Each structure stands twice: as structure tokens, then as C-alpha cells.
Amino acid sequence: MENDDKDILEIALKWRAMMDDEMSEHDHRAFGAWLVADPRHARAYDRAEQGWRELGALTREDLGLGFEARVERATPTSTAATSFLGMIRGRTIAIGGGLAACFAIAVVALNPIDRTAPPTVRSVYQTAIGEVRDVALPDGSVITVGASSTVATALDADGRRAELTAGEAFFDVAPDPARPFSVSTRLLSVRVTGTAFDVSLKPEKVRVSVAEGSVDVSYVHNSEDGGETDGVAPPALRLAGGERVAARDGLGVGPVETVDADAVGAWRRNRLAYVDAPLAELVADARRYYPAPIVIADDELAAMSVSAIFDATQIDAMFTTLSEALPLKVDKTDDGALTLRAEK
């Protein structure tokens, strides 16, 4: 049994290595099948994820610069494992500082698999400036992670959890009444069993917009924002498709607004849309797509109301259009940095 656990852990580590590469839809389905084929698989993947984070502190020299490892053969422990080994057999995998070294170090570093601990699959997804990425979770849900955004997930037998700490994400949640899916942010938490919705972190506010189904939104209190009354939180607010709500720092939850359900998450199609939004919000979004600094020169200009639709891949053109339509000018330096000033 001990050798079987070692084989399972090695396979889990190979899966974790592939997560840092571009996995195909077939790869994701194979991973999901392997994960549910045996309770030990999920526990092993949880340990692999922990070990992978620990390996992040090692240098490329520690792991063997440029090492290429060919996966030849491992002892199958289930039908799903056999399918996985067949899928990767003969594939050359070169990841960062040497996959085989990673496996060897991780297997030695990890403690034995705890058969009593509930299996938890944890991942962190972080995108670069201008990068939008679809992430398929083992439960069948898909998260579209917006540009310059960070989402952490944890899936186990009791529930499915995500935390958005930067940027924006669209959640298309696979139905599972027995395992609710929750999303937390600094101001709002969302709880669903199956639906599609968008969560975005804006300057001084967090907004939840629902494309289809319904979600329960709760305000996250803290002792500094003044939103708590007699220590009792208000009941969760239920939003249906075509509705959105925002919570502001120090002001609590605002009114429910009606939106075009088809337009929710339009940024996934590189479309940035604004209706009576402050210029500061538009600039905050633009910074997630533009590689150089963007600065608003004065507070009055930051509060200027904007209603427009722009292409997220054409940030320069967006500000050129704004300068023609609004009383502002845009100064651009040789390194691409933009400064927005009120036109006198």
C-alpha cells in the first residue's frame, strides 16, 4: 500500500506540473476523471499542491537548469491512472527547473498521505497585464480570470470556494446542490449552487453582476467600515440574472441595479462598457491591460462621469477618443506612460 501511495503522489505531482502549462480540454477531463476515481487521488493532489508551493522557493539551479524529463512508466493504480499514463507516455515535459528533480524533492519533502483528512484541491490563478485566461475546475465549473487578476480556489467534499483578491473574474458554476460554490472578496461574499456571474474589484467598491441563475450576496463586515449594526449582519441579498449590486468601502451595499444580462462579463470579449462611471473606474480597468503607468492628474477629473464602450486591446485609442469627447488632454511619454489632465 505504501508503494501505491508513492505512485499516486508521483502522478499527482505530474498533474500539478501540467497545471502550469496550457492544458487542453481533454487534459482537464482526464484530470477530473483521475481525481474522482479514488479518494486517495484528491488527497495526494492536495499534498502535491502544498509541495509545489514549497518548491517555489528553490532556484532554477537547485532544480537543475534546462533539465528535460521523459515520462516512461509508472505503476497504474486505477483505470483513470492508466488512462493518464497512456496520455502522457512518450511526451517530453520540460518545466522551469527540471520536472524529475521537482518530483524527487517533493516526494522526499512531503509527509505521508493522511487518509483521515478530507481531500482538498487548492489552486491559485494569476494573470498578467492584458491576459485573460479560462480555467476549468475539476468539478466542471469554469472561471474566466480577467487581466491582472488573482483567484484562489479550494474544492473538497463539503464545498467549493474561491477568493478574488485582484481584478475581475467570471464564474460559470457547475450545478451541485450538495456542494455550494462561494466567492469571497474584501467587501462581498457570493454563494451559489450553479449559475453564471461576474465579480469585479473596482476603486473603493466591489461589484457582483449576474448573467443567469441567481446568487446570494452578503456584505463582509469589519470594525472599521461602520457597516455593522449591533453586531448583527443583514440577511443575504438574492440577485437574479440581469441584476447587479456593489458594496463600497465604509458605505455598505448599494441598491440593486438592472443590467443587460448578455453584457455581463463582456470584457471576456475584449469589450469594456461603462454607463455613468467615474473616469477613475475606467482608468483602473485600463491599467490591467496597459503595460505603462496611467495617472489622473487631479481628483475632479477622476470623478468625471463617462458612458462609453471601448476595445480592451486598444487602450491608446480609447484615451484618444476620450480626449476628443471630454474636456481632458492626454500626455504620453516616450516609455508609454499616460497622464490625464483637465483641459483648461
Side-chain angles (χ1 to χ4, degrees), residues 14-309:
K14 292 167 187 174
W15 274 121
R16 180 58 188 87
M18 291 176 66
M19 290 295 176
D20 283 349
D21 201 359
E22 290 294 329
M23 286 180 61
S24 68
E25 186 174 343
H26 172 71
D27 292 339
H28 282 292
R29 285 198 300 268
F31 171 62
W34 177 81
L35 200 65
V36 301
D38 189 315
R40 293 177 297 169
H41 295 178
R43 290 193 288 268
Y45 188 84
D46 189 23
R47 300 298 297 161
E49 177 67 36
Q50 178 182 342
W52 203 260
R53 289 196 298 269
E54 293 171 358
L55 289 173
L58 299 177
T59 66
R60 292 172 64 88
E61 288 74 15
D62 291 331
L63 299 176
L65 181 62
F67 184 90
E68 289 188 354
R70 182 175 294 275
V71 180
E72 298 291 350
R73 186 175 184 276
T75 303
T77 56
S78 70
T79 302
T82 304
S83 299
F84 166 65
L85 291 170
M87 179 182 70
I88 65 173
R89 184 173 292 122
R91 177 193 291 184
T92 298
I93 305 177
I95 298 193
L99 190 58
C102 288
F103 289 161
I105 294 171
V107 171
V108 171
L110 294 178
N111 296 324
I113 296 172
D114 181 359
R115 294 183 178 85
T116 65
T120 303
V121 180
R122 296 185 179 90
S123 299
V124 177
Y125 308 100
Q126 187 169 22
T127 53
I129 292 175
E131 178 190 8
V132 175
R133 179 183 174 191
D134 285 334
V135 175
L137 302 184
D139 70 325
S141 300
V142 176
I143 303 176
T144 303
V145 185
S148 301
S149 301
T150 303
V151 179
T153 62
L155 281 67
D156 57 33
D158 298 321
R160 303 169 290 171
R161 297 170 297 283
E163 182 181 12
L164 177 67
T165 56
E168 187 165 17
F170 186 93
F171 299 85
D172 189 352
V173 178
D176 188 347
R179 292 199 306 160
F181 194 108
S182 63
V183 180
S184 61
T185 71
R186 71 176 190 274
L187 290 178
L188 291 174
S189 65
V190 185
R191 183 180 173 88
V192 302
T193 55
T195 186
F197 60 99
D198 182 86
V199 182
S200 60
L201 307 185
K202 303 290 185 180
E204 300 184 350
K205 71 178 179 182
V206 176
R207 187 167 64 203
V208 176
S209 307
V210 183
E212 61 181 65
S214 63
V215 305
D216 290 334
V217 180
S218 301
Y219 185 53
V220 178
H221 302 283
N222 61 68
S223 59
E224 299 177 355
D225 67 12
E228 191 168 353
T229 304
D230 298 329
V232 178
L237 179 67
R238 177 153 294 186
L239 298 180
E243 293 182 333
R244 74 179 183 187
V245 73
R248 297 179 181 275
D249 292 313
L251 297 176
V253 180
V256 175
E257 300 176 332
T258 301
V259 296
D260 180 359
D262 292 334
V264 174
W267 53 267
R268 295 174 296 159
R269 303 182 293 277
N270 294 321
R271 188 161 65 96
L272 302 178
Y274 305 91
V275 177
D276 293 329
L279 182 63
E281 179 177 321
L282 185 150
V283 169
D285 288 342
R287 287 174 180 145
R288 297 193 290 112
Y289 293 88
Y290 193 70
I294 306 174
V295 177
I296 303 178
D298 59 79
D299 293 340
E300 184 177 344
L301 185 61
M304 181 181 295
S305 181
V306 178
S307 295
I309 299 175

